Amino acid sequence: MKRIDEQRLEEDTLYRVGYVSEFMGFGGDDIAAIHGAAAHLAPLVPVLVEAVYDKLFSYDATKRHFVPRQSGYSGPVPESLESLTQDHEMIKFRKEHLGRYLAALVTRDYDGKMISYLDMVGKMHTPKAGSPDLDVPLVQMNALLGFVSDALTNVILGLNLDRQTEIRTVRAFNKLLWLQNDLITRHYQAAGVAEFEAAEAA
């Protein structure tokens, strides 16, 4: 039986990712499958980005998070939730970020730098990093990642890959997005514990 330093899981991101990856069986073959899909998926990134933003703009609970100034954006901000459209400069800015994220998933090496990037994706949606006005609830992050996972699966199944490559690719992306989910959820843990303890004390 392998011994795991559970405290280190909470303190050392690389150790945490190594453990979760090993537990799921996410390894070199999966990364090769993800990189192998790059040529097929890269041309579809703009379509995926538009699908994501169509979904985000269809609910006030997700759209409202695009009204405050986004981290790294210096242009004009929307006047209100109702007036915000997808052709606003700040939304174009956010779409570019999402496009780069999706491209990074299929092109970058999964080294320490990439792990830090995936971890920051989670952190940036909380006040811990980026804009202090941006605090996206975990339920919205889970809903979004579930949508992205399904959209990617649908795209992969439509690529007409041979059956074994298709299976490997779908499974690889499934593991990758569960890993991303953990690197999102970890930044909400302290808030969740505090909320639970407050409810217990009431």
Side-chain angles (χ1 to χ4, degrees):
M1 181 171 62
K2 186 171 184 176
R3 301 292 181 182
I4 300 298
D5 184 341
E6 294 190 54
Q7 184 59 42
R8 189 179 173 191
L9 290 175
E10 307 303 327
E11 300 168 349
D12 184 336
T13 305
L14 289 178
Y15 183 74
R16 181 187 185 106
V17 168
Y19 166 70
V20 175
S21 296
E22 183 180 306
F23 195 101
M24 292 190 298
F26 180 73
D29 289 345
D30 296 296
I31 294 169
I34 290 167
H35 287 163
H40 300 288
L41 293 178
L44 300 175
V45 164
V47 176
L48 285 169
V49 169
E50 291 303 317
V52 167
Y53 272 83
D54 284 345
K55 180 62 70 171
L56 290 169
F57 268 55
S58 65
Y59 296 90
D60 61 350
T62 46
K63 184 181 178 182
R64 71 180 178 87
H65 298 292
F66 296 99
V67 176
R69 183 176 299 281
Q70 308 292 297
S71 176
Y73 174 76
S74 58
V77 296
E79 295 180 3
S80 67
L81 179 67
E82 292 71 26
S83 66
L84 178 59
T85 61
Q86 290 199 45
D87 60 0
H88 191 284
E89 289 302 315
M90 192 161 72
I91 300 305
K92 292 179 182 178
F93 173 81
R94 294 307 309 165
K95 286 181 177 181
E96 290 172 3
H97 273 264
L98 177 58
R100 286 196 293 270
Y101 167 76
L102 293 172
L105 292 183
V106 297
T107 59
R108 287 179 58 171
D109 292 332
Y110 280 79
D111 53 14
K113 189 174 180 180
M114 181 59 167
I115 297 306
S116 295
Y117 173 69
L118 295 178
D119 188 53
M120 185 56 69
V121 167
K123 196 172 184 179
M124 286 288 288
H125 291 86
T126 75
K128 298 177 183 179
S131 171
D133 297 323
L134 189 63
D135 190 7
V136 181
L138 181 57
V139 63
Q140 307 302 348
M141 295 299 294
N142 284 334
L144 174 59
L145 201 61
F147 178 82
V148 170
S149 175
D150 181 62
L152 276 171
T153 299
N154 188 50
V155 167
I156 293 165
L157 294 177
L159 293 177
N160 296 316
L161 302 172
D162 68 82
R163 182 60 173 160
Q164 289 306 312
T165 301
E166 181 180 80
I167 291 170
R168 284 196 302 271
T169 305
V170 168
R171 291 187 67 196
F173 273 99
N174 182 59
K175 295 174 194 177
L176 172 60
L177 291 176
W178 271 101
L179 184 61
Q180 176 67 90
N181 185 62
D182 181 63
L183 292 175
I184 290 172
T185 305
R186 69 187 297 255
H187 296 292
Y188 290 83
Q189 285 179 310
V193 170
E195 184 178 331
F196 175 77
E197 290 176 345
E200 286 287 291

